[in-house]
């Protein structure tokens, strides 16, 4: 049923390498299945550090193949910097995927973090997304519960229609000015996968999956037709006993 939401699936692996392998394996399984029904597969990549291991594993598992030509790469968020900046999420994905896989520039849709004003950059990326649902949104979670660049107490969390907005990260985050897809954009996706590893994330993962009285962290607000959490044992320590 369109828009039906099933409970999140938790996939717990021994360690970060296990998460990278499992997520990459599931990625290729999902794509092989989807491409029997559709010509292309639209993925929004996550930024930060955690996904890099999965991105390398994607290329290791499928270094070549026509399947790569049927993928369209987008981004869930970007820092308000250009593509060469050390903190650019696009730059991380380029180093981990695009420099090694048979992907051509027209398949890569980076968020123009260098554009100003940022709301124009956001509207430009909404045009790039063209209102077409993503097949898969990859996400990480910060220790404060943010995901993409949707931060706690941010007005971006209340957005009901825009798919891309400017955002501001709290002090202490790399590059405070951001651009991010919104909860409505993620909710329109077929699947949203979280990749979360490390003991420093155990508390926030528990807050997300065992809600108490606190306001839910932004990552807990994520809906999609199917949501999967790829966790290592350290990050899952507060939700599953192993
Ligand atoms: C970003 C990411 C952000 C990230 C989390 C977790 O641009 O930083 O979109 O949401 O996924 O901060 O980052 P780590 O994987 O580095 O812990």
């Amino acid at each position: 049923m369109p828009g039906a939401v099933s409970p999140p699936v938790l996939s717990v692996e021994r360690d970060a390498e296990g998460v990278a392998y499992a997520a990459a394996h599931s990625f290729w399984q999902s794509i092989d299945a989807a491409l029997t029904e559709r010509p292309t597969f639209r993925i929004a990549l996550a930024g930060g550090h955690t996904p890099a291991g999965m991105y390398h594993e994607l290329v290791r598992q499928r270094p070549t193949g026509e399947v790569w030509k049927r993928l369209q790469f987008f981004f869930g968020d970007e820092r308000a910097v250009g593509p060469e900046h050390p903190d650019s999420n696009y730059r991380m994905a380029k180093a981990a995927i695009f420099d090694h896989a048979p992907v051509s520039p027209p398949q890569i849709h980076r968020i123009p973090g260098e554009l100003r004003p940022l709301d124009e950059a956001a509207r430009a990326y909404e045009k790039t997304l063209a209102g077409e649902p993503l097949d898969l949104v990859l996400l990480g979670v910060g220790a404060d519960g943010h995901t993409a660049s949707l931060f706690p107490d941010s007005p971006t969390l209340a957005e009901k229609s825009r798919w891309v907005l400017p955002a501001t990260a709290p002090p202490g985050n790399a590059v405070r000015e951001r651009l991010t897809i919104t909860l409505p954009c993620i909710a329109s996706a077929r699947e949203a996968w979280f990749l979360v590893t490390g003991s420093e994330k155990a508390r926030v993962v528990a807050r997300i999956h065992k809600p108490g009285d606190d306001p839910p962290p932004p990552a807990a607000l994520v809906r999609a037709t199917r949501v999967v959490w790829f966790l290592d044992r350290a990050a899952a320590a507060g939700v599953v006993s192993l």
Side-chain angles (χ1 to χ4, degrees):
M1 178 174 73
V5 176
S6 45
V9 173
L10 271 63
S11 169
V12 181
E13 308 301 330
R14 177 185 298 273
D15 51 25
E17 290 72 25
V19 167
Y21 177 85
H25 183 69
S26 297
F27 179 94
W28 289 123
Q29 280 187 317
S30 294
I31 284 180
D32 290 344
L35 292 180
T36 61
E37 298 164 8
R38 301 192 290 281
T40 58
F41 194 90
R42 293 157 53 93
I43 308 123
L45 297 174
H49 300 99
T50 304
M54 179 210 180
Y55 298 166
H56 288 293
E57 189 58 23
L58 287 180
V59 179
R60 192 194 67 77
Q61 292 182 15
R62 297 252 181 119
T64 59
E66 284 307 301
V67 65
W68 282 99
K69 304 264 181 255
R70 297 177 61 189
L71 309 184
Q72 293 290 324
F73 292 93
F74 300 85
F75 289 82
D77 69 328
E78 186 57 278
R79 291 78 184 273
V81 295
E84 309 293 328
H85 191 284
D87 288 323
S88 160
N89 287 335
Y90 162 80
R91 185 173 185 267
M92 183 271 277
K94 179 177 183 294
I97 304 174
F98 308 142
D99 287 348
H100 309 282
V103 174
S104 58
Q107 294 176 255
I108 302 166
H109 311 281
R110 71 177 184 86
I111 298 176
E114 70 279 12
L115 275 188
R116 297 293 183 276
L118 284 180
D119 193 57
E120 275 187 33
R123 291 184 187 280
Y125 205 61
E126 282 181 326
K127 288 195 176 69
T128 300
L129 289 168
E132 285 182 51
L134 293 157
D135 292 294
L136 173 60
V137 179
L138 298 177
L139 295 164
V141 178
D144 63 355
H146 80 262
T147 191
S149 284
L150 301 167
F151 290 93
D153 307 320
S154 165
T156 57
L157 298 176
E159 178 58 41
K160 296 286 183 263
S161 56
R162 293 278 301 269
W163 274 22
V164 184
L165 284 175
T168 303
N173 281 276
V175 183
R176 295 191 63 194
E177 293 312 296
R178 307 283 186 94
L179 289 154
T180 187
I181 60 173
T182 61
L183 292 171
C185 175
I186 301 169
S188 74
R190 284 188 170 85
E191 303 214 19
W193 295 1
F194 288 94
L195 281 71
V196 189
T197 62
S199 55
E200 71 280 7
K201 302 288 177 72
R203 187 173 171 280
V204 71
V205 169
R207 278 183 60 207
I208 291 163
H209 291 282
K210 291 183 168 179
D213 302 337
D214 299 341
L221 303 176
V222 163
R223 299 291 179 274
T225 305
R226 182 169 181 260
V227 177
V228 181
W229 287 76
F230 289 93
L231 303 164
D232 67 358
R233 288 179 178 177
V239 287
V240 291
S241 47
L242 289 161

